[in-house]
Amino acid sequence: MKRIIVTGGLGQIGSELVPFLRNKYGKENVIVADIRKPENVDEIEPFITLDVRNEEAIISAIKENDVDAMYHLAAILSAKGEENPQLAFDVNIKGLYAVLEAGRKTGLERIMIPSSIAAFGPETPKDNTPNDTILKPRTMYGISKVTGELLALYYWEKYGLDVRGVRYPGIISWKAPPGGGTTDYAVEIFYYALKGEKYTCFLREDATLPMMYMPDAIKAITMLADAPAENLVHRADFNIAAMSFSPKELVEEIRKYVDFEVEYKPDYRQKIADSWPRSIDDSAARKEWGWNPDYNMASMVKDMVKNLKKKLGL
Ligand SMILES: NC(=O)c1ccc[n+]([C@@H]2O[C@H](COP(=O)([O-])OP(=O)(O)OC[C@H]3O[C@@H](n4cnc5c(N)ncnc54)[C@H](O)[C@@H]3O)[C@@H](O)[C@H]2O)c1
């Protein structure tokens, strides 16, 4: 991997993955691609506008920029996807197909595609969810993630296209806002807490879900990208885990730093959360590429409070 394109590179994960990759491979060798143009485009360069549903445009971007690898992050997330399932199908499934075909036709060395705990469904065991288990999601987002996992395996076995990915849990970060997922509360709540404002949580206080702090999310996908192919039994369906907590437990941890009021008003997102695991067995990732997380809930909250206070000038 020498010249990398990051689709959806302006999103929550891209905003932190891109600086990491640029540090490693050189700024000019990591091209940010997104459907929207950033205000500060000069700072983001090299940047291109790209709709991942357009295979021809992806092929041109790969050829013109002499790209040999891709992190494909462009997607419509779980909550947004349930508001507009047709758009989620279009971007997440047709867009992925366009990316895989473009990768196959141009001979990309590697494509990284994040999956999600949304690949699981109500029939999946909820605690210590195994890597290889029942995948019957009921959201369009989850369906698109299972499709991606299966297509990754198919393109590898049929064409030798090396597509890999992890099943991310909810990602917590302070640099860029989350993009419309079911675990967004775990980021929003910090802004309210630190400003001393009341927070209305859209999940129940006991809705325990697997979560991960952004530095670990970046570590996971880049470690997997660099793992020797011969060590991998799985492809784009690796469970990874770091912590699990409920809104109530997160509130208690944040209250060690600031006091604030919380009210619980579960909405349609609670139903999505109800279909997801509480905790994850990540032993396959540990065994096949040496995965281990650095942050638990306490160290994540400490770091979030420190960085967000600085960001908000508090
Ligand atoms: N953030 C999480 O908690 C989380 C959890 C599990 C999995 N993931 C996965 O990680 C990946 C990145 O997620 P994220 O949180 O950064 O998402 P995000 O919503 O923050 O960013 C997605 C980006 O994709 C762009 N985009 C949307 N449609 C596009 C299109 N047609 N063409 C090009 N770009 C388009 C958006 O403008 C946005 O910048 C996704 O595959 C997502 O499913 C994220």
Side-chain angles (χ1 to χ4, degrees), residues 11 14 17 38 96 98 117 160 170 222 270 280:
L17 177 66
L96 174 68
I117 54 165
T222 51
Q270 181 60 49
I280 300 287

Side-chain angles (χ1 to χ4, degrees), residues 11-13 34-36 50-52 73 141 145 168-169 171:
Q12 187 192 8
I13 295 177
D34 207 289
I35 197 166
R36 60 191 161 104
L50 177 74
D51 185 338
V52 294
L73 305 181
Y141 177 71
K145 290 303 181 190
Y168 276 137
I171 308 293

Side-chain angles (χ1 to χ4, degrees), residues 7-15 33-36 49-54 72-78 80 87 90-92 95 113-118 141 144-145 166-172 176-184 214 276:
T7 74
L10 297 179
Q12 187 192 8
I13 295 177
S15 303
D34 207 289
I35 197 166
R36 60 191 161 104
T49 41
L50 177 74
D51 185 338
V52 294
R53 291 166 291 186
N54 185 342
H72 174 49
L73 305 181
I76 305 299
L77 269 63
S78 57
K80 253 186 168 176
L87 179 67
D90 221 34
V91 175
N92 298 4
I113 55 162
S115 185
S116 160
I117 54 165
Y141 177 71
S144 76
K145 290 303 181 190
V166 291
R167 288 178 180 145
Y168 276 137
I171 308 293
I172 298 158
T182 304
T183 52
D184 287 9
M214 185 64 89
W276 290 357

Side-chain angles (χ1 to χ4, degrees), residues 189-199 258-261 312 314:
I189 198 167
F190 281 94
Y191 287 82
Y192 285 79
L194 290 174
K195 290 186 202 157
E197 292 168 9
K198 178 177 167 183
Y199 181 65
V258 278
D259 199 20
F260 71 115
E261 209 185 320
L312 299 172
L314 298 167

